[in-house]
Amino acid sequence: MNPPTFEYFAPTGIDEVIDILAKYPGEAKILAGGQSILPLLKSRISSIPYLVSLSEIKGMSYVVEGKDGVKIGSMTIDSDLENSDLIEKRFPILHDATKQLADPLVRNVGTIGGNLSHADPANDLPAVMISLGARFTIRGKKGSREVEARDFFMDTFTTALEPDEILTEVYIPFWGRNSGGAYVKFKKNTWNFSVAAVAVQLELDGNTCKKAQIATTAVSPKSGRVESAEKHLVGKPLTDDVIKKAAEEVAASAEPVTDSYGSEEYKREILKRITREAIKKAISRAGGN
Amino acid sequence: MVELSEKLVKGEGRFVDDIQMPGMLYLGFARSQYARARILRISGAQLTHKEVNFDIAEVGEGATEGGSELLKHPVLAKDYAGYVGQPVAAVYSDDRYVAEDLIDSVDIEYEPMKAIVDPEDSISREEMYPGVKSNAIVDRYFGDDFTPDSTDIVIERKMVNRRIATNPIEPRGVVAAYDGNKLTVWVSTQSAHAIKEGLSEALKMEPDRIRVVQVDTGGAFGLKGGLFPEYVVACYLAMKEKRPVKWIETRREHLLASRPGRGAVAKLKLFAKKDGTITGLKGEVIVDNGAFTGGSGEFSPIFIVKQLAGAYHLPNAYVRALSVLTNKAPQGPYRGAGRPEAMYFIERLMDGLADKLKMDPVELRLRNAATETYTSPLGFQVEKSRPFLESAIRELNYEKYKGKENVGFALLILYHATFGGESARIKVEDGKVRVWTGGNAHGQRHDVFIKTLLNEELGVSEDHVEVMKGDTDMLAEGVGAWGSRSSMVLSSAVIVAARKIREQIEKKQGKYTVQALLAGKWDHYEYFNYDRMESSLGANLVTADVDDYGRVKVKDCLSYYDLGRVLDPDNARGQNAGGAVQGIGQVLSEELSFDEDGLPLITSISDAGVLSADLVPRFDIKFHKSESPLPSKAKGVGEAPTIGVPIALSRAIELATGKTILETPIKPEYLLPVEKE
Ligand SMILES: Cc1cc2nc3c(=O)[nH]c(=O)nc-3n(C[C@H](O)[C@H](O)[C@H](O)COP(=O)(O)OP(=O)(O)OC[C@H]3O[C@@H](n4cnc5c(N)ncnc54)[C@H](O)[C@@H]3O)c2cc1C
């Protein structure tokens, strides 16, 4: 379990990172927490000639409250998100996810930027960011740009990032007063990825659903919004029947694959049940009943 | 006193991969990508079978039915690959990273063939090798055919214990060095002597020229009793290059190409009278041998079948024992090695029979527990078990749980591998008492009871005693640590050796004193011969709940085992907890699964289903103490929990879900409750 040879860079500034990425397009990759990229190298699934570590760059790890939302530096580790009171209070859905993500050892080094940029459909944070409507700040040779979370994940392990670009910041807008969300994860085992997981973020008007954003983990080639299911909720009173229909739609629109953890049908069934659970939890957090 | 276990948890152990030597070469293997293929061409390899043309083992006695030279496991594949992960060619470098790069540069051209994957299909498929008479390398009947009474109740079940990897924390590993005459091998093992013997046979080298030294061994569970192709290649290369050679297995290699355990299917019919008295057993047991001999597949089905009476009075039995070729790594022993399979089969039949008769399963067991020691028609002696069972029911508080919890109960016989005996040597010099034994700890705490026994026999305090690890140059012969044997035969060898040392001193000085012992120079080697297989009884009680998603929560896991004299209660508790966790893993998640082409689906530890701490239940162990006839008066315990826990847990889950459990592991999907509309 030793990686193939690579050249290692540890620049102190983001511009230098971009320069190195641009110099070796496609051959240079960022090394953040290393919890996805190092296993790939060590098991020799990938070979990456140039690794650019972000560890020497100061000021990329922060969770800051602004007027309309929260800014998170891309090198912020999962544990810092998990232990942030601000996150727990304002975005319980993200708290749900970070406290169940991998194990404490991985969370102590894995970063939000890496979790999102890796675009593994089994990673927990893409679905959470999509359902929260987060925006990502990206920098590259051509300057800085912003991308909506929902447009960032293109395919399995593929994002909107160009080879010379780096994800620097995640911005999560505050939701209205009567809003709430939940992330329910059906884990393979306690320290691992999901068989299926779902992120549900809602805004209510009384008992009626005003806004709904739902995204899934591990049951499709990429995490994305399940708009067909959201439609079942928006504008309706959230009765058991409405919740059930939405959950069925989430399950029906997923594309799980059979593996040693279970068949496609089983995974759909699990997804249906956890979606109901997540919607109910989101409603109660939004102050509904 | 510093115990070995304390040293190990503090990170002060010295494992095989910690060994560094100047000029060391690192060995790596290019492995078959196919489950079954002809090898047409190999390029880019440094070593192939053309040069390293050895086999791992003689075709065993059991293999005579299908006997063929082709059944022997070549250390490097010849023109045929029989499983994914089989070593085909070797590469090496003085840089570990480069050695891994070199693996990628080996190019092997294959002509794939249709793999034989399902053991139940194997016999009806074409022969795996030209010249073998059938794909059954073992096909024998035990007992005598009988005609069941036409009024008998029959319970018929197919039961499966699928393959699982042994998964010790430390994988396999070896370092070999050669000085021009003598080959020295440091290895993570359960038996230095077995490795020496195997190497001598495989390399056709005089045993005197081989020294095998056991280093700290981070778990073994049956796997590390044997010799492996990689070890032979490492030794060959060390002799060829006259440089030390290291090979350390990766976890992926472990999952593909070490010898996994279990892998047995039983199709059995149990006959009984309407009052629950069992009258006979018929059917067959099929072991998934893998593609070559050299594992335990030649022995395993026979051992399983002979135990199938469980702890009961079984008047009639006629059972076929089969071991069949499949395109998988050779099956090997895994903690219990045939015992858990046998007891699972008979005990799950008993639960099924109880349900059919609407009887309490424990009541049914009481009715059938042997009231006298007898020899079962399948071959093994069955201990009188009724009095033990009566006290087990009391001690485990069965009545308290019954009807209130989902409670499973197992009665088991543990057949200890006491045959063959064991060796010990005590050498006193410079005030130090050093002890070598044929078997050694690989995660247990042999050092603790050896020190206790020496204190009893010789009055010497623990501080003066040093328990050494296996070393074939320090000990003429030895067997190994497996089969729940060490507390019985190893301890007895130590006791007898200590008594002989005492005699030496008495003879020379008239009287034995500790001072005389420590002041003098004494040395005694003892081979404690023992040719019987002992047994002990045990019982487990497990409770469990299952949630709306079909997730199992194991609650209480209670054991009542006959340990005879309890040499080290803490160690017994540790053995109980560890073995129970493996038993739970077998039921809930551990499996090496394959697709229909024989490609392994489990290639990473994250998918191997090893239990995590949050699933560990509350344990309790109570000891029954009926002394063994051995000098140590002890009975073994290491395998008991892997035998009893899967049975009791399966039953608890059955009660929680209303679903019949006949396979391990249980697919989570199977337990998902259907929702009411
Ligand atoms: C045992 C184990 C269990 C795990 N279980 C889970 C789980 O349950 N849920 C889960 O979500 N994840 C899980 N993971 C993955 C873990 O969360 C990783 O930390 C995460 O996927 C990647 O983050 P990282 O900081 O480690 O990134 P790295 O591994 O360093 O990088 C991952 C990828 O992202 C790129 N990258 C990193 N940072 C940036 C950036 N700022 N801009 C652009 N590209 C960047 C890298 O080039 C690389 O391609 C698990 C990992 C392990 C080892």
Side-chain angles (χ1 to χ4, degrees):
Chain A
M1 294 295 269
N2 289 304
T5 313
F6 56 81
E7 203 171 322
Y8 176 78
F9 302 90
T12 51
I14 293 179
D15 289 340
E16 277 173 82
V17 173
I18 295 168
D19 286 344
I20 301 166
L21 292 175
K23 188 170 168 199
Y24 307 108
E27 290 192 320
K29 281 265 183 189
I30 287 171
L31 175 66
Q35 296 304 293
S36 289
I37 204 166
L38 292 182
L40 285 176
L41 288 173
K42 287 190 155 201
S43 56
R44 294 188 175 237
I45 293 170
S46 304
S47 158
I48 301 167
Y50 307 97
L51 277 186
V52 193
S53 169
L54 302 185
S55 59
E56 297 299 314
I57 305 173
K58 293 199 175 67
M60 291 191 75
S61 165
Y62 52 85
V63 181
V64 187
E65 182 167 8
K67 201 160 79 49
D68 304 316
V70 171
K71 291 177 176 176
I72 303 169
S74 66
M75 280 296 279
T76 308
I77 56 170
D78 304 321
S79 309
D80 285 349
L81 296 173
E82 179 191 0
N83 297 322
S84 155
D85 293 337
L86 174 64
I87 299 288
E88 186 172 359
K89 197 167 121 244
R90 299 306 302 252
F91 306 116
I93 184 174
L94 179 53
H95 182 71
D96 287 347
T98 48
K99 75 174 187 220
Q100 296 184 82
L101 193 158
D103 58 33
L105 285 77
V106 172
R107 297 203 288 269
N108 283 341
V109 275
T111 67
I112 182 170
N115 197 298
L116 298 169
S117 306
H118 194 51
D120 183 339
N123 272 7
D124 292 305
L125 299 187
V128 173
M129 293 303 151
I130 291 168
S131 70
L132 281 169
R135 287 197 295 277
F136 303 155
T137 305
I138 290 170
R139 273 174 62 183
K141 271 278 170 216
K142 290 193 202 121
S144 183
R145 62 186 180 116
E146 281 206 345
V147 177
E148 295 281 339
R150 55 182 299 179
D151 300 325
F152 182 76
F153 304 99
M154 317 276 284
D155 205 344
T156 309
F157 304 124
T158 311
T159 65
L161 288 167
E162 295 295 331
D164 64 337
E165 284 183 321
I166 168 173
L167 168 61
T168 56
E169 188 177 273
V170 173
Y171 174 78
I172 314 176
F174 289 136
W175 280 54
R177 274 183 73 78
N178 298 315
S179 66
Y183 187 69
V184 178
K185 176 169 176 175
F186 189 87
K187 292 188 262 186
K188 290 177 172 174
N189 51 48
T190 188
W191 48 272
N192 213 330
F193 294 98
S194 329
V195 170
V198 63
V200 176
Q201 182 72 21
L202 302 175
E203 193 177 331
L204 305 184
D205 183 0
N207 213 19
T208 303
C209 178
K210 210 169 129 191
K211 190 172 161 191
Q213 298 197 162
I214 301 177
T216 57
T217 298
V219 288
S220 298
K222 64 166 187 174
S223 288
R225 266 176 68 182
V226 195
E227 287 173 45
S228 55
E230 294 167 1
K231 278 195 204 117
H232 279 281
L233 299 174
V234 178
K236 290 189 195 136
L238 294 172
T239 61
D240 277 354
D241 201 46
V242 167
I243 295 169
K244 191 173 151 230
K245 290 251 162 55
E248 278 165 2
E249 181 53 35
V250 170
S253 63
E255 304 163 61
V257 287
T258 300
D259 62 18
S260 62
Y261 291 92
S263 69
E264 189 190 317
E265 303 79 64
Y266 169 70
K267 291 181 178 183
R268 275 188 214 282
E269 186 60 32
I270 292 291
L271 183 59
K272 186 180 91 192
R273 296 185 194 189
I274 58 173
T275 303
R276 277 192 327 236
E277 198 181 316
I279 295 174
K280 286 181 184 164
K281 214 164 156 187
I283 294 171
S284 109
R285 281 176 175 169
N289 41 45
Chain B
M1 174 183 60
V2 183
E3 274 181 36
L4 174 63
S5 51
E6 191 181 322
K7 209 180 87 181
L8 297 184
V9 295
K10 283 183 175 166
E12 291 163 10
R14 186 167 178 261
F15 297 92
V16 64
D17 201 14
D18 293 325
I19 299 175
Q20 296 300 341
M21 288 177 187
M24 187 120 90
L25 291 172
Y26 297 89
L27 182 62
F29 291 89
R31 296 172 181 277
S32 174
Q33 313 275 346
Y34 290 95
R36 189 180 181 201
R38 260 181 282 281
I39 297 171
L40 304 178
R41 199 178 49 83
I42 305 169
S43 61
Q46 286 156 295
L47 296 172
T48 67
H49 81 277
K50 290 211 173 84
E51 180 181 346
V52 194
N53 192 11
F54 304 112
D55 296 315
I56 207 69
E58 298 298 309
V59 176
E61 189 203 342
T64 43
E65 284 116 19
S68 160
E69 287 291 300
L70 296 171
L71 288 171
K72 289 187 193 177
H73 199 313
V75 300
L76 293 174
K78 293 179 182 131
D79 47 7
Y80 171 82
Y83 60 93
V84 174
Q86 185 184 340
V88 176
V91 293
Y92 54 92
S93 162
D94 51 13
D95 181 319
R96 203 165 184 162
Y97 288 72
V98 174
E100 283 195 44
D101 293 345
L102 288 172
I103 296 175
D104 295 337
S105 65
V106 177
D107 194 28
I108 306 165
E109 206 180 301
Y110 300 93
E111 185 186 302
M113 294 186 260
K114 180 107 188 72
I116 299 173
V117 186
D118 184 349
E120 289 177 74
D121 279 353
S122 177
I123 310 191
S124 57
R125 289 281 303 270
E126 76 288 356
E127 284 76 46
M128 187 175 289
Y129 302 105
V132 299
K133 280 185 236 132
S134 116
N135 284 340
I137 62 161
V138 175
D139 187 355
R140 285 165 67 177
Y141 284 84
F142 291 84
D144 292 310
D145 204 0
F146 64 96
T147 311
D149 196 301
S150 61
T151 60
D152 276 359
I153 309 281
V154 190
I155 172 98
E156 181 169 9
R157 291 189 148 179
K158 178 179 150 186
M159 296 163 283
V160 186
N161 288 163
R162 291 194 289 270
R163 282 183 162 219
I164 34 187
T166 52
N167 266 324
I169 291 181
E170 180 205 29
R172 295 179 290 155
V174 69
V175 168
Y178 185 61
D179 66 4
N181 173 50
K182 193 151 185 169
L183 175 69
T184 305
V185 180
W186 294 265
V187 63
S188 174
T189 187
Q190 290 169 257
S191 169
H193 289 86
I195 299 286
K196 173 175 167 169
E197 201 177 303
L199 282 173
S200 157
E201 248 176 66
L203 293 162
K204 303 193 173 50
M205 238 172 110
E206 310 83 77
D208 307 354
R209 290 177 53 217
I210 304 173
R211 175 185 184 185
V212 178
V213 182
Q214 182 200 5
V215 285
D216 282 336
T217 297
F221 308 116
L223 172 71
K224 293 178 184 170
L227 179 71
F228 296 96
E230 294 89 345
Y231 296 4
V232 180
V233 179
C235 291
Y236 172 83
L237 183 62
M239 293 194 285
K240 180 185 172 185
E241 295 287 336
K242 299 203 174 42
R243 287 171 70 175
V245 174
K246 182 188 274 189
W247 176 71
I248 302 295
E249 180 182 53
T250 65
R251 186 62 58 178
R252 191 180 144 83
E253 289 178 306
H254 177 79
L255 294 169
L256 295 180
S258 68
R259 291 176 193 145
R262 309 290 182 265
V265 182
K267 297 176 191 167
L268 294 168
K269 279 186 197 171
L270 181 67
F271 301 89
K273 292 192 196 135
K274 292 199 173 61
D275 68 357
T277 310
I278 59 175
T279 56
L281 182 72
K282 276 190 186 198
E284 62 183 23
V285 170
I286 308 171
V287 165
D288 181 354
N289 174 80
F292 300 102
T293 55
S296 58
E298 296 148 74
F299 163 77
S300 184
I302 300 168
F303 188 50
I304 293 174
V305 168
K306 286 185 168 184
Q307 297 175 73
L308 281 177
Y312 306 109
H313 183 75
L314 178 69
N316 301 296
Y318 189 55
V319 183
R320 186 182 185 190
L322 281 158
S323 185
V324 299
L325 294 170
T326 55
N327 287 110
K328 300 174 192 169
Q331 187 256 15
Y334 171 55
R335 197 168 183 171
R339 301 165 182 86
E341 295 89 326
M343 295 300 143
Y344 186 88
F345 299 149
I346 183 66
E347 286 290 275
R348 301 279 39 240
L349 282 168
M350 292 299 275
D351 285 332
L353 180 62
D355 288 344
K356 195 156 192 171
L357 294 168
K358 298 196 168 49
M359 246 176 112
D360 178 75
V362 174
E363 183 60 40
L364 180 75
R365 284 172 169 83
L366 260 181
R367 170 153 314 210
N368 289 288
T371 49
E372 290 305 329
T373 298
Y374 80 107
T375 301
S376 117
L378 294 169
F380 277 178
Q381 179 177 300
V382 176
E383 277 185 60
K384 167 171 158 182
S385 60
R386 178 151 180 143
F388 174 88
L389 178 56
E390 283 166 352
S391 48
I393 295 167
R394 263 194 323 274
E395 294 288 331
L396 296 177
N397 244 322
Y398 177 67
E399 293 300 327
K400 188 190 101 186
Y401 290 99
K402 183 178 145 186
K404 294 193 198 72
E405 299 261 3
N406 303 309
V407 58
F409 189 95
L411 174 65
L412 62 98
I413 288 201
L414 164 57
Y415 289 96
H416 315 111
T418 40
F419 41 85
E422 190 53 283
S423 64
R425 177 181 177 189
I426 300 175
K427 189 173 179 210
V428 188
E429 213 171 27
D430 306 325
K432 265 247 146 289
V433 181
R434 291 194 290 165
V435 188
W436 288 266
T437 50
N440 288 276
H442 40 84
Q444 313 87 331
R445 309 198 306 171
H446 293 56
D447 52 324
V448 177
F449 73 71
I450 290 174
K451 287 174 180 174
T452 306
L453 293 174
L454 287 183
N455 182 267
E456 283 176 13
E457 294 294 329
L458 297 173
V460 62
S461 85
E462 294 165 347
D463 305 334
H464 294 288
V465 180
E466 197 178 347
V467 178
M468 312 300 288
K469 280 185 278 288
D471 184 336
T472 58
D473 268 14
M474 301 310 293
L475 200 65
E477 284 180 82
V479 182
W482 52 65
S484 304
R485 67 199 310 276
S486 295
S487 65
M488 305 181 76
V489 285
L490 185 152
S491 57
S492 296
V494 169
I495 291 170
V496 178
R499 289 176 186 165
K500 295 278 170 62
I501 291 271
R502 180 185 270 270
E503 276 171 27
Q504 279 182 22
I505 296 171
E506 281 169 354
K507 211 161 163 192
K508 205 160 164 205
Q509 309 197 344
K511 183 170 147 252
Y512 173 82
T513 62
V514 185
Q515 289 76 7
L517 172 80
L518 294 175
K521 266 189 164 184
W522 316 99
D523 196 345
H524 182 79
Y525 165 80
E526 178 71 26
Y527 195 105
F528 175 76
N529 260 314
Y530 205 74
D531 57 11
R532 273 177 53 84
M533 183 167 65
E534 291 296 330
S535 67
S536 64
L537 295 162
N540 280 100
L541 183 153
V542 176
T543 61
D545 285 339
V546 177
D547 74 8
D548 292 347
Y549 287 100
R551 287 178 292 212
V552 176
K553 172 90 192 138
V554 187
K555 293 158 76 185
D556 284 337
C557 182
L558 314 184
S559 306
Y560 181 62
Y561 298 146
D562 180 8
L563 263 70
R565 178 188 166 185
V566 185
L567 292 175
D568 175 359
D570 280 346
N571 193 10
R573 280 186 204 100
Q575 289 282 325
N576 181 53
V581 166
Q582 287 177 309
I584 296 167
Q586 177 185 334
V587 173
L588 299 185
S589 47
E590 288 195 61
E591 177 184 4
L592 285 182
S593 49
F594 297 82
D595 74 5
E596 67 276 9
D597 295 321
L599 300 181
L601 299 174
I602 308 299
T603 58
S604 150
I605 189 68
S606 68
D607 294 328
V610 176
L611 216 65
S612 51
D614 59 321
L615 295 175
V616 173
R618 197 178 72 84
F619 294 116
D620 196 14
I621 179 170
K622 289 187 170 158
F623 306 125
H624 181 90
K625 299 174 184 172
S626 105
E627 293 182 350
S628 76
L630 286 125
S632 74
K633 304 186 175 63
K635 292 180 180 174
V637 68
E639 292 161 312
T642 53
I643 305 173
V645 171
I647 299 162
L649 175 57
S650 295
R651 176 61 180 176
I653 295 171
E654 208 163 73
L655 292 176
T657 58
K659 291 184 173 163
T660 311
I661 306 296
L662 298 175
E663 296 192 3
T664 65
I666 310 168
K667 305 261 181 227
E669 190 153 358
Y670 183 63
L671 296 182
L672 183 71
V674 178
E675 290 195 315
K676 292 178 216 69
E677 278 306 308

